[in-house]
Amino acid sequence: QVQLVESGGGLVQPGGSLRLSCAASGSIASIYNMRWYRQAPGEQRDFVADITREGTTNYADSVKGRFTISRDNSKKMVYLQIQDLKPEDTAVYYCNAYISTSTSTQWYWGQGTQVTVSS
């Protein structure tokens, strides 16, 4: 059984910063790409950022320059550093990872962590 657990969300004032974390656990053989998505109220879930095992990153245009994705392979962790938060960043942020176990390789999702940007 594979689990992804996000943490680090909360209520932040505009212009503030946050660091989201996501921990993978379970019977994991390998973790390939790791991603962050977000879903605002009443909206679809949108891609935010991706990082390969080797550290190559890719971002949605809307977050370039303010969001930084990173990972620690030894800890099976992925992070999302968010700077200069804006009210439109308010959303549930989800961790997503392509993980292989002894029986399958598939995408897994975490339960999400709420980020609210408000004064």
Side-chain angles (χ1 to χ4, degrees), residues 40-115:
E43 302 290 331
Q44 66 181 18
R45 192 172 297 187
D46 290 330
F47 168 79
V48 173
D50 174 271
I51 185 167
T52 68
R53 289 176 68 180
E54 296 76 21
T56 301
T57 59
N58 184 37
Y59 297 92
D61 288 342
S62 60
V63 305
K64 284 180 181 176
R66 294 191 301 119
F67 287 33
T68 303
I69 188 171
S70 61
R71 66 189 283 172
D72 184 331
N73 291 333
S74 66
K75 295 181 180 179
K76 299 184 178 66
M77 299 280 295
V78 63
Y79 308 96
L80 188 69
Q81 180 72 41
I82 310 175
Q83 310 281 2
D84 188 23
L85 277 154
K86 306 177 186 299
E88 53 264 39
D89 294 321
T90 295
V92 178
Y93 285 72
Y94 295 93
C95 177
N96 177 241
Y98 195 57
I99 295 173
S100 66
T101 65
S102 60
T103 57
S104 68
T105 302
Q106 63 184 78
W107 289 98
Y108 290 86
W109 289 93
Q111 292 300 303
T113 186
Q114 176 71 48
V115 173

